[in-house]
Structures are given as C-alpha cells and as structure tokens.
Amino acid sequence: MTTLRNLPSVEQILQTEAAAYLIARFGRPLTLDSIRFVLDDIRARFQSGQITALPLTDLILAQTESQLITWTRQTLLPVINASGVILHTNLGRAPLSDATIRAMDIVSRGYSTLEFDLESGKRGSRLIHAESLLQKLTGAEAALVVNNCASAVLLILSALANKKRVIISRSQLVEIGGGFRVPDVMKQSGAKLVEVGTTNKVRLSDYQSAAEEPTALIMRVHRSNFKLVGFTEEPELKDIVAAAHQAGVPVVDDLGSGALYDTEKYGIAHEPTVQESMQAGADIICFSGDKLLGGPQAGIIIGKADLIAKIKKHPLARAVRADKACLAGLSATLLHYLKDEAEREVPIVKMMSLTLKQVKGRAEAWAAELGKGSVVEGESTVGGGSLPGESMPTFLLSLQVKSAEKFLRALRKNNPPIIARTENDKVLLDPRTVLPEQEGALLVGVKNILKS
Ligand SMILES: *Cc1c(COP(=O)(O)O)cnc(C)c1O
C-alpha cells in the first residue's frame, strides 16, 4: 500500500541534479521553501483522498520549478501599446527617449553628484539639477522638481496657504483621475477652500470680491480631462492675474499636462502651454513630467523666486522629493526641448508628429507581412488626462477574426503582451503608438496567434 512514507524527503530531493540547478537559478532558501511547499501540498491532497498515488521525484521537481517561477515572476512587465492612446495612463504614460534612458541608467549604476558640489567638495543640493534648464526653457525665476504633479499641488498649498484662504472657481473643482480630487487635495494641505462662481460660469468680479478678505492664493486648475461647453464663462488667466495682483494675492496655475509646445501643430486642440501661463503672469505653475512633456514621472514647479524658496523649505518638500534617476532623466528630456529636437527625440512628440502617410505605410507593411488584414482609417488619442474628446486621424490594421475578445486575450497573453482594441468584432492595431523597435515582436506575436 502507498503511504506518505514513500514520499521523498526534502534532503533526498536536494541531492538531485535538478535541485542543484534550481538552487543555482533561484537561490537555496527560496528553493527549499518551494520544495517544502510542494511536499506539503502533496501530503494534504493525499490525506484528503484527492490523489491516491504519490508523484515521483521528477514530477515533484517540476512542480517545485513552476512554483518558483510563479513566486519570482515580475508583475510589472513591458507591453506593446497598439491601442493608439499615446499617453495611456494604465500603460505607464510616456515612453522615454534614448538619451533620457541613458541618463537614468548611468546615475543609477553608480555614485553621482546628486547632492555634491564638485567645486567646493562639500554638500550640494539635488534641487539645482533641473532648475537651470527649467529657467532657460520657461523664463521662470526658480524651479523645483518633486515626485509628481499631485504632490506638487499638495506641497504648494501646504507651503503657501496652510490655514489660509485659497480662492478657486467651482468650475475647476475636478477629479483628475485615480481619485485625485482637487478639493480633497486642497483640504489635505490645510488650505481653506473658497469656492467662487458656479459650475459653468465664473466672472472676474467673483474673484475680486472673494479677494477682498485676506487671501493666500488664487488657484486655477486646468480641467484636463473634460470639456465645459455651452453656456459658460471664465475669465482669461491674465485677467485673473491682474485682479489678483491688484489685491496683492499670488496666482497658482495647476496646468496638469503642461506642454512646452503647441499641440495644434499636430491637428489637435490647443492644450494650454507653460509659456502661456508664464506670459499671463502666473506666480507659480505646476505640471507633470510624464504627460505631454514626455519625460519620467515628476511634478515640476516653476515661478517666482521668493515663493519657490518658501516651497523648497517646507518639510513636505523632503517627503515628496524626486530621486536621482528622475532628476537625470527629466534633465535629459528637457534638453531635447532646449535643443529644439523634441520632435525627433521625444517618443510621444514623435508619435504625434507622424504624418498620415507614415502611419499608413506602417499599417500596410504589417498587412503585407502578415498576409492578412486590411488597412482602415481610424483615430488615435492623446490620453493621459489631456485633450478630452480630441483625436487625430490614423490608419489601423484591421483583423477579421472569429472572436475579437478571444483574440485580444491571446494578444495580452503574448510575450511581450500586446494591447489592442476592437470595434465591430474586428481587432484594430494602431501603428502610431507602437515603438519601431517593437514592430518585429508585434508581428511575430500576431502571426502566432493567427496560426493557432
Ligand atoms: C494629471 C494632473 C495632475 C496630477 O498629475 P500627476 O503627475 O499624475 O500626479 C494634477 N493636476 C492636473 C490639472 C492634472 O491634469
């Protein structure tokens, strides 16, 4: 009769060559854990009568290996974005330029001048690294880089408006996404929210009368992910600034996306630019590093020197500071703009600037390579909580398959996973968001799924 005594021991399994190989791959402690885990599982299933025969050592080792693979599998994996959404928030927003990746790689590999002044040999400040580039690009007196734009807003308000009044229009009390609600963040900072105007209309006089009481800031928040249309009214930023300054109140402009270029150039709506906010006279401007700027995740704060100095000194600045890889990468991305080479080097700008002819050419090449599918007109979007409702014409590879849902699932299971979309039971692949170096892998993946 088979009894659990016939089950090999941990020691016996460890004697095998296969176990030595697993130890070399996964390390001894984890391999031991895994063997014990598998043996325990077999014992339990045997005792409960789920199995009546005990597996041989080979099978136990195979189970041990698959357990080890499951335990050590990365969950954060690169994917091929064929969805046509350029700044796909769930897919990690902006892919980075080669120079940006090199800069992040080199400071991550070794030691750096993160907080070290080579001239004096003494302690330096991490805040200087991107600051001069931002000053040059925007004309701002001073700048500060933090973890992301949400923390930038929290920091600005905490440093400049704790327990003080901040005036904001009701039309701008928005939720940006992922639960980031402007009114909640404002409250979190300790600022006293003073709402003016209505959901659809706010007038300059609303700001002016609210600013008659002592006020720390007037805040403008870019609506980013939705449009206000119809019976609406909102004063221009420069007029808000003029009224605010008359009352001696500084203006903070949370741009969110904060492009350094005009998106209209690419046939889509105008997204407020950093330069425009500067020209309008905003005292503090904040925007993301990984939205339309196309750099690493960061929150960029620029503006008047005295206000930035206060923000830098606030304890929260330490809590939300940017790390060395971010500072190095952001500087490299900013350099592309300074050298007027963003369209050539920054991937998301490159994607936007692709001509229809170029996109069509790639879709046609895919169809030819696959020997299947047709090239159809479609739309790419910018995404990333910017330019709501805006799309740019594109050409798609359209695949007629038995079940579009099943095909999408198979694409997601590919290595690397491919993210596409469906419409009218067809699978659509947009070349605009597929990086050129991923095209080979995309075609191999699609070919294999078509064959199976
Ligand atoms: C996206 C956005 C934020 C948050 O930026 P993150 O970099 O994602 O933290 C804040 N404000 C506005 C207006 C935004 O559009």
Side-chain angles (χ1 to χ4, degrees), residues 126-138:
R126 73 174 60 215
L127 299 179
I128 61 158
H129 298 297
E131 186 164 24
S132 54
L133 290 172
L134 285 164
Q135 287 166 323
K136 266 216 172 59
L137 272 166
T138 64

Side-chain angles (χ1 to χ4, degrees), residues 93 148-150 176 180 221-222 224 254-257 288 290-291 298:
R93 288 194 186 156
N148 58 7
C149 190
I176 302 300
F180 178 85
V221 178
H222 177 45
S224 294
D254 173 14
L255 275 177
S257 209
S288 289
D290 53 346
K291 290 186 180 171

Side-chain angles (χ1 to χ4, degrees), residues 80-87 95 266-268 346-363 366 378-382 391-397 421 428-436 438-439 442:
I80 298 175
N81 176 13
S83 71
V85 183
I86 295 174
L87 286 168
Y266 306 119
I268 40 183
V346 178
I348 65 140
V349 185
K350 218 194 281 188
M351 287 173 187
M352 277 190 269
S353 67
L354 283 178
T355 64
L356 264 180
K357 199 168 149 222
Q358 287 170 315
V359 185
K360 191 177 185 190
R362 284 175 74 190
W366 292 2
E379 319 228 293
S380 314
T381 54
V382 178
S391 60
M392 47 179 73
T394 194
F395 279 96
L396 308 160
L397 177 68
R421 59 192 159 109
L428 303 175
L429 300 161
D430 190 337
R432 190 185 293 278
T433 51
V434 175
L435 301 172
Q438 293 180 319
E439 268 188 338
L442 174 106

Side-chain angles (χ1 to χ4, degrees), residues 140-156:
E141 290 173 12
L144 166 67
V145 179
V146 294
N147 185 56
N148 58 7
C149 190
S151 53
V153 173
L154 183 63
L155 174 62
I156 292 166

Side-chain angles (χ1 to χ4, degrees), residues 160-220:
L160 304 180
N162 187 25
K163 299 198 179 75
K164 294 192 194 130
R165 298 169 84 243
V166 177
I167 299 171
I168 184 166
S169 165
R170 290 194 172 87
S171 60
Q172 295 165 13
L173 291 173
V174 296
E175 171 165 329
I176 302 300
F180 178 85
R181 290 188 165 170
V182 170
D184 293 344
V185 175
M186 293 181 73
K187 278 180 209 145
Q188 191 65 41
S189 71
K192 285 188 210 145
L193 206 65
V194 180
E195 301 174 17
V196 297
T198 61
T199 307
N200 58 329
K201 285 210 174 204
V202 60
R203 297 193 182 84
L204 204 55
S205 56
D206 293 324
Y207 286 104
Q208 283 164 325
S209 48
E212 278 167 15
E213 273 182 61
T215 300
L217 298 169
I218 289 181
M219 172 125 183
R220 185 184 79 151

Side-chain angles (χ1 to χ4, degrees), residues 128-434:
I128 61 158
H129 298 297
E131 186 164 24
S132 54
L133 290 172
L134 285 164
Q135 287 166 323
K136 266 216 172 59
L137 272 166
T138 64
E141 290 173 12
L144 166 67
V145 179
V146 294
N147 185 56
N148 58 7
C149 190
S151 53
V153 173
L154 183 63
L155 174 62
I156 292 166
L157 293 173
S158 303
L160 304 180
N162 187 25
K163 299 198 179 75
K164 294 192 194 130
R165 298 169 84 243
V166 177
I167 299 171
I168 184 166
S169 165
R170 290 194 172 87
S171 60
Q172 295 165 13
L173 291 173
V174 296
E175 171 165 329
I176 302 300
F180 178 85
R181 290 188 165 170
V182 170
D184 293 344
V185 175
M186 293 181 73
K187 278 180 209 145
Q188 191 65 41
S189 71
K192 285 188 210 145
L193 206 65
V194 180
E195 301 174 17
V196 297
T198 61
T199 307
N200 58 329
K201 285 210 174 204
V202 60
R203 297 193 182 84
L204 204 55
S205 56
D206 293 324
Y207 286 104
Q208 283 164 325
S209 48
E212 278 167 15
E213 273 182 61
T215 300
L217 298 169
I218 289 181
M219 172 125 183
R220 185 184 79 151
V221 178
H222 177 45
R223 266 184 298 275
S224 294
N225 52 12
F226 79 103
K227 266 192 212 168
L228 203 58
V229 291
F231 188 60
T232 64
E233 181 180 340
E234 217 164 59
E236 281 187 45
L237 183 62
K238 68 170 175 23
D239 297 326
I240 298 175
V241 169
H245 288 179
Q246 193 120 53
V249 179
V251 174
V252 173
D253 191 19
D254 173 14
L255 275 177
S257 209
L260 289 173
Y261 50 90
D262 191 351
T263 47
E264 267 176 296
K265 222 166 60 174
Y266 306 119
I268 40 183
H270 181 75
E271 178 81 3
T273 67
V274 178
Q275 293 89 337
E276 284 161 3
S277 286
M278 282 297 296
Q279 263 158 28
D283 301 277
I284 292 286
I285 302 164
C286 61
F287 52 102
S288 289
D290 53 346
K291 290 186 180 171
L292 285 171
L293 192 70
Q297 178 189 307
I300 299 161
I301 307 172
I302 60 171
K304 301 274 158 63
D306 56 333
L307 297 175
I308 296 280
K310 260 194 202 161
I311 294 170
K312 283 180 178 172
K313 271 197 230 120
H314 191 272
L316 200 55
R318 171 66 174 76
V320 298
R321 73 182 184 183
D323 82 316
K324 59 190 175 184
C326 163
L327 291 167
L330 183 65
S331 299
T333 301
L334 291 171
L335 257 179
H336 292 314
Y337 289 94
L338 202 59
K339 289 157 74 181
D340 196 25
E341 60 182 25
E343 227 171 66
R344 201 176 69 226
E345 300 293 336
V346 178
I348 65 140
V349 185
K350 218 194 281 188
M351 287 173 187
M352 277 190 269
S353 67
L354 283 178
T355 64
L356 264 180
K357 199 168 149 222
Q358 287 170 315
V359 185
K360 191 177 185 190
R362 284 175 74 190
E364 282 170 348
W366 292 2
E369 174 75 24
L370 295 169
K372 195 165 175 344
S374 50
V375 175
V376 299
E377 283 178 32
E379 319 228 293
S380 314
T381 54
V382 178
S386 54
L387 296 156
E390 284 295 316
S391 60
M392 47 179 73
T394 194
F395 279 96
L396 308 160
L397 177 68
S398 167
L399 294 171
Q400 175 89 54
V401 294
K402 259 191 244 130
S403 158
E405 281 308 317
K406 275 194 188 139
F407 202 90
L408 279 194
R409 193 172 331 129
L411 286 171
R412 290 198 301 272
K413 288 209 163 144
N414 186 65
N415 180 18
I418 299 164
I419 312 301
R421 59 192 159 109
T422 68
E423 217 176 273
N424 301 328
D425 261 351
K426 297 206 173 55
V427 171
L428 303 175
L429 300 161
D430 190 337
R432 190 185 293 278
T433 51
V434 175

